[in-house]
């Protein structure tokens, strides 16, 4: 055990001497209270340590012990449904041990080492295995079959494998290679700052369906993709992330509350167990891992929380699952970096953030991807990362937003003015973008509709035209517009209010299948095309704008999935009749 002595305490930063044999990123125990810290800088025998707990009362002369191991997470059965803090301490267990008044230096194992799990072998004695192969399974919850993998750097022939009920510490298999034996347990450890290995990355050309029309149609994210959701306070970042957690086509959800307000994190902790998983009908927590790190917790623990979360997410990705990770919010994480950088007296970058802010963000986001996992079989896994950004005052020109936008491929820009108009999700269709659209065009053609990209393009063009026409209307009034332009404005209004606006709390409208999205787009554009045609034949524009079928198109989103074909046929028939009536009345 390497021991040193504290020489300086500056908030979450502690400097200790006598640490010559310690290594960067080693976990240390500070003082006789055994506070958890991590070495982030070494100068000779002086170590700069960021402490993940409150440091008040610490002083020079107190002891520091290095554990000789980097900050790691414990991986194994028992992760799903757990609620951890930023350094993977189970909050429920801490409350049981320490009560509501959280004491410093509490040591609680991340997984339950006493609980027994039913282990069912997939491999048999004599099989050749390599790192990443599945040797057995544990039914962790109704929704998640936990696959026990051969740990990294272990390969050989299975000498022994057992079946039955075991704790995570029990040996379930023994692998032999060149006379050396390696024991395999259900629990393993992995350093959080090191990405887990894989065979190769695949192109992001499969849609991560979310059932949110604005996202799936206009600004899609691919499986293994990265997206940013910047927006000011009250613009609906948390609701967007909740909707994605509930409806995205992901097997596992990892939700990181990074430095969020206590009441917001409390909402998550209360709501997630009550949310009904549309896949299984059980609680959404049966396929969710929560990492709760509120703004009143020590600032340094925020910095670790997103690495803890993404390492757990990579672990489930390596089992061949599609994982969606929500980080809310990376702005608070960047504030923790700024705090520590200031304490280390480093040269500040823009707005006091460290100069390495962009590279640290990139290191985090690049751990996402759709991949072929390690192992004998070419199993596919995917990890998608959606990071919320909370720019002060909604100003996305600030450094965290700009550094994030240089990395991510999808930008869902939340707009306070849309939120105040009660237009949710408040994603601004003029400023948002997705760079996955072209790569996903073939997928849309095969899985949604051959003309999906054409329909999407027409919607985007009409919304763009509306913003230009609206400027004219604001200057000289609606009467200055030609009849075709008035129809264009009316269609754009239908796109905004009937298509892009989506009620997360309505049992039908909360989720829209791709088939229904296609029919809704077709209904709006069919109405526009037939109205333009009628206008050219001499129909009165006011009669065309006042057609009752427009209201029917607006209510289409509340139709249940089983009725959508019938409803679309009905809308088409009524539209033809009303267009004919408008032409006859115009002739009179």
């Amino acid at each position: 055990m390497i021991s040193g002595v504290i020489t300086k305490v500056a908030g979450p930063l502690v400097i200790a001497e006598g640490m010559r044999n310690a290594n960067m990123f080693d976990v240390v125990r500070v003082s006789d209270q055994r506070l958890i810290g991590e070495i982030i800088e070494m100068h000779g025998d002086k170590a700069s340590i960021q402490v993940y707990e409150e440091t008040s009362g610490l002083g020079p002369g107190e002891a520091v012990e290095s554990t000789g191991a980097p900050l790691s997470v414990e991986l194994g059965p028992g992760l799903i449904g757990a609620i951890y803090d930023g350094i993977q301490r189970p909050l429920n267990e801490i409350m049981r041990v320490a009560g509501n008044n959280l004491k410093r230096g509490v040591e609680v194992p991340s997984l339950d080492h006493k609980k027994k799990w039913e282990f069912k072998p997939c491999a048999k004695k004599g099989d050749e295995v390599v790192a990443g192969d599945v040797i057995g399974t544990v039914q962790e919850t109704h929704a998640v079959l936990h696959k026990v993998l051969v740990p990294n750097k272990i390969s050989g022939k299975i000498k022994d494998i057992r079946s039955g009920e075991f704790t995570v510490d029990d040996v379930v298999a023994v692998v032999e290679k060149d006379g050396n034996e390696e024991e395999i347990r259900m629990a393993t450890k992995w350093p959080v700052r090191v990405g887990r290995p894989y065979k190769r990355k695949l192109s992001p050309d499969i849609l991560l369906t979310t059932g949110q029309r604005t996202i799936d149609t206009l600004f899609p994210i691919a499986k293994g993709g990265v997206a940013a959701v910047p927006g000011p306070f009250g613009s609906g970042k948390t609701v967007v992330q909740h909707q994605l957690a509930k409806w995205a086509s992901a097997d596992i959800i990892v939700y990181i509350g990074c430095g969020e307000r206590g009441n917001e994190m409390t909402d998550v902790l209360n709501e997630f167990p009550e949310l009904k998983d549309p896949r299984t009908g059980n609680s959404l927590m049966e396929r969710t891992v929560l990492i709760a790190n509120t703004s009143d917790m020590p600032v340094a623990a925020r910095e670790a929380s997103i690495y803890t979360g993404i390492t757990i997410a990579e672990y489930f990705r390596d089992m061949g699952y599609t994982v969606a990770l929500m980080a809310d919010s990376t702005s608070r994480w960047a504030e923790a970096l700024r705090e520590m950088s200031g304490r280390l007296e480093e040269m500040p970058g823009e707005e006091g953030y460290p100069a390495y802010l962009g590279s640290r963000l990139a290191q985090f986001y690049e751990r996402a991807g759709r991949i072929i996992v390690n192992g004998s079989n070419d199993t596919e896994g995917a990890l998608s990362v959606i990071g919320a950004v909370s720019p002060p005052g909604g100003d996305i020109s600030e450094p965290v937003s700009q550094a994030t936008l240089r990395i991510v491929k999808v930008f869902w820009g939340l707009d306070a003015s849309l939120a105040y108009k009660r237009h949710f999700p408040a994603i601004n269709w003029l400023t948002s973008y997705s760079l996955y659209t072209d790569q996903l065009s073939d997928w849309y053609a095969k899985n949604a509709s051959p003309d999906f990209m054409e329909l999407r393009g027409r919607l985007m063009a009409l919304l763009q035209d509306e913003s230009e026409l609206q400027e004219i209307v604001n200057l000289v009034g609606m009467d200055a517009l030609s009849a075709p332009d008035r129809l264009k404005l009316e269609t754009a209004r239908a796109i905004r209010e009937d298509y892009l606006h989506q009620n997360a709390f309505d049992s039908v409208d909360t989720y829209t299948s791709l088939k229904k999205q296609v029919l809704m787009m077709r209904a709006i554009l069919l109405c526009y095309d037939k109205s333009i045609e009628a206008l050219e034949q001499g129909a009165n524009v006011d009669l065309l704008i006042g057609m009752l079928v427009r209201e029917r198109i607006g209510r289409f989103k509340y139709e249940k999935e089983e009725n959508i074909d019938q409803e679309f046929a009905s809308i088409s028939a009524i539209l033809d009749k009303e267009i004919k009536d408008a032409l006859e009345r115009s002739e009179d």
Side-chain angles (χ1 to χ4, degrees):
M1 190 71 74
I2 301 155
S3 294
V5 176
I6 295 175
T7 58
K8 178 183 174 185
V9 179
L13 178 72
V14 167
I15 294 175
E17 284 183 347
M19 306 290 288
R20 184 174 299 279
N21 295 322
N23 296 312
M24 278 284 286
F25 301 120
D26 274 3
V27 171
V28 296
R29 291 289 182 171
V30 179
S31 85
D32 55 3
Q33 296 183 53
R34 298 189 61 74
L35 309 185
I36 300 172
E38 183 186 20
I39 296 174
I40 54 172
E41 206 174 75
M42 291 287 294
H43 292 290
D45 72 338
K46 271 192 180 180
S48 299
I49 300 159
Q50 67 176 359
V51 181
Y52 293 127
E53 299 182 75
E54 179 58 51
T55 58
S56 57
L58 288 190
E62 296 193 57
V64 174
E65 286 181 2
S66 170
T67 62
L71 184 66
S72 302
V73 288
E74 207 168 17
L75 303 168
L79 287 170
I80 297 292
I83 302 166
Y84 294 112
D85 71 356
I87 47 177
Q88 211 206 2
R89 294 185 300 178
L91 295 177
N92 289 339
E93 192 61 22
I94 288 176
M95 190 178 84
R96 195 182 63 77
V97 171
N100 285 334
N101 297 320
L102 179 59
K103 297 186 186 78
R104 296 187 290 179
V106 175
E107 292 186 51
V108 181
S110 303
L111 298 176
D112 187 339
H113 288 252
K114 292 176 185 168
K115 183 174 180 179
K116 292 198 169 183
W117 299 91
E118 180 72 34
F119 176 78
K120 293 181 180 173
C122 296
K124 58 186 185 298
K125 193 173 174 180
D127 284 358
E128 287 283 346
V129 292
V130 298
D133 279 347
V134 179
I135 58 162
T137 59
V138 172
Q139 193 67 51
E140 189 168 351
T141 66
H142 290 297
V144 178
L145 183 69
H146 194 111
K147 299 171 186 175
V148 178
L149 309 173
V150 176
N152 194 37
K153 297 181 180 172
I154 291 179
S155 63
K157 189 177 283 187
I158 294 179
K159 185 182 178 186
D160 182 33
I161 190 161
R162 302 159 70 195
S163 170
E165 291 197 342
F166 305 103
T167 66
V168 292
D169 292 328
D170 291 336
V171 176
V172 293
V174 177
V175 172
E176 186 180 38
K177 186 178 184 182
D178 302 332
N180 297 321
E181 291 184 359
E182 293 278 1
E183 294 177 335
I184 297 177
R185 295 170 173 80
M186 287 192 274
T188 59
K189 285 201 164 190
W190 191 269
V192 297
R193 296 183 190 276
V194 180
R196 286 174 64 88
Y198 53 84
K199 276 188 188 170
R200 65 179 185 277
K201 260 191 179 172
L202 302 172
S203 173
D205 53 15
I206 296 175
L207 179 72
L208 182 76
T209 53
T210 65
Q212 311 307 301
R213 294 187 290 270
T214 311
I215 293 172
D216 285 353
T217 303
L218 301 186
F219 313 112
I221 177 172
K223 277 189 181 177
V226 286
V229 196
F233 178 74
S235 58
K237 291 188 294 296
T238 306
V239 174
V240 167
Q241 292 205 321
H242 282 206
Q243 283 295 92
L244 294 178
K246 191 173 179 183
W247 294 107
S249 54
D251 304 306
I252 310 282
I253 304 296
V254 179
Y255 190 97
I256 308 168
C258 178
E260 280 303 290
R261 296 169 189 83
N263 59 337
E264 283 195 24
M265 209 59 232
T266 305
D267 284 347
V268 173
L269 298 179
N270 286 335
E271 282 176 26
F272 267 57
E274 289 178 15
L275 282 178
K276 194 175 172 185
D277 185 355
R279 292 176 168 210
T280 62
N282 298 323
S283 167
L284 189 63
M285 281 302 288
E286 290 198 0
R287 58 184 181 93
T288 303
V289 182
L290 287 180
I291 292 171
N293 185 264
T294 57
S295 51
D296 62 341
M297 288 181 177
V299 72
R302 285 185 211 174
E303 200 266 337
S305 62
I306 67 167
Y307 295 112
T308 299
I310 202 158
T311 307
I312 292 170
E314 284 177 332
Y315 175 61
F316 285 106
R317 173 208 70 186
D318 289 349
M319 295 180 196
Y321 289 124
T322 297
V323 186
L325 179 138
M326 322 283 167
D328 188 9
S329 94
T330 53
S331 294
R332 311 269 181 267
W333 171 79
E335 283 166 13
L337 278 188
R338 180 166 64 181
E339 164 87 3
M340 292 311 299
S341 177
R343 300 280 184 190
L344 289 166
E345 298 177 6
E346 293 173 340
M347 181 69 76
E350 198 179 347
E351 289 188 26
Y353 288 102
Y356 47 78
L357 172 67
S359 65
R360 287 283 178 89
L361 273 169
Q363 282 167 15
F364 169 64
Y365 280 110
E366 74 180 2
R367 287 170 74 169
R370 188 170 137 251
I371 59 149
I372 298 293
V373 304
N374 277 352
S376 307
N377 303 320
D378 279 357
T379 307
E380 194 179 295
L383 168 54
S384 310
V385 176
I386 295 122
V389 186
S390 312
D395 175 20
I396 63 164
S397 64
E398 56 88 42
V400 183
S401 301
Q402 288 303 306
T404 304
L405 292 184
R406 281 195 287 272
I407 299 158
V408 300
K409 300 290 181 71
V410 181
F411 169 61
W412 297 320
L414 297 177
D415 192 327
S417 63
L418 286 174
Y420 294 146
K421 291 173 188 170
R422 294 290 176 266
H423 182 291
F424 291 106
I427 295 172
N428 188 312
W429 48 87
L430 298 173
T431 57
S432 302
Y433 61 82
S434 169
L435 301 181
Y436 294 118
T437 312
D438 291 342
Q439 285 166 290
L440 292 169
S441 57
D442 288 345
W443 188 94
Y444 277 123
K446 283 179 196 161
N447 296 278
S449 169
D451 61 346
F452 188 95
M453 296 308 287
E454 184 192 333
L455 295 170
R456 176 193 177 275
R458 290 192 63 195
L459 253 61
M460 290 292 281
L462 283 163
L463 290 168
Q464 192 69 47
D465 290 347
E466 182 203 29
S467 74
E468 293 167 10
L469 290 170
Q470 201 60 52
E471 289 179 18
I472 297 169
V473 171
N474 293 342
L475 282 171
V476 291
M478 187 68 80
D479 297 339
L481 293 182
S482 64
D485 282 345
R486 283 183 63 193
L487 278 178
K488 198 175 272 187
L489 272 185
E490 183 60 27
T491 307
R493 183 197 62 75
I495 295 168
R496 284 189 288 105
E497 295 178 9
D498 304 336
Y499 191 79
L500 300 183
H501 181 278
Q502 192 165 354
N503 185 350
F505 301 102
D506 183 273
S507 59
V508 175
D509 196 32
T510 184
Y511 177 88
T512 308
S513 68
L514 283 173
K515 182 184 178 184
K516 187 174 175 182
Q517 290 181 39
V518 169
L519 290 179
M520 286 176 72
M521 286 193 280
R522 283 209 179 114
I524 291 168
L525 293 171
L526 187 67
C527 183
Y528 174 64
D529 291 341
K530 294 210 168 182
S531 298
I532 289 287
E533 210 176 283
L535 196 66
E536 287 168 356
Q537 291 171 23
N540 182 300
V541 69
D542 291 318
L543 291 174
L544 294 171
I545 288 173
M547 289 189 298
L548 294 175
V549 73
R550 292 184 184 278
E551 197 177 318
R552 187 79 176 259
I553 292 169
R555 289 201 304 270
F556 194 174
K557 60 184 172 185
Y558 299 115
E559 281 296 325
K560 290 185 175 173
E561 293 286 337
E562 57 265 29
N563 303 333
I564 54 175
D565 287 320
Q566 187 183 336
E567 180 63 12
F568 181 75
S570 177
I571 285 171
S572 300
I574 295 168
L575 178 61
D576 287 341
K577 182 178 178 297
E578 291 199 2
I579 290 279
K580 190 180 173 188
D581 288 350
L583 280 167
E584 287 171 0
R585 286 169 64 193
S586 300
E587 284 170 8
D588 296 344

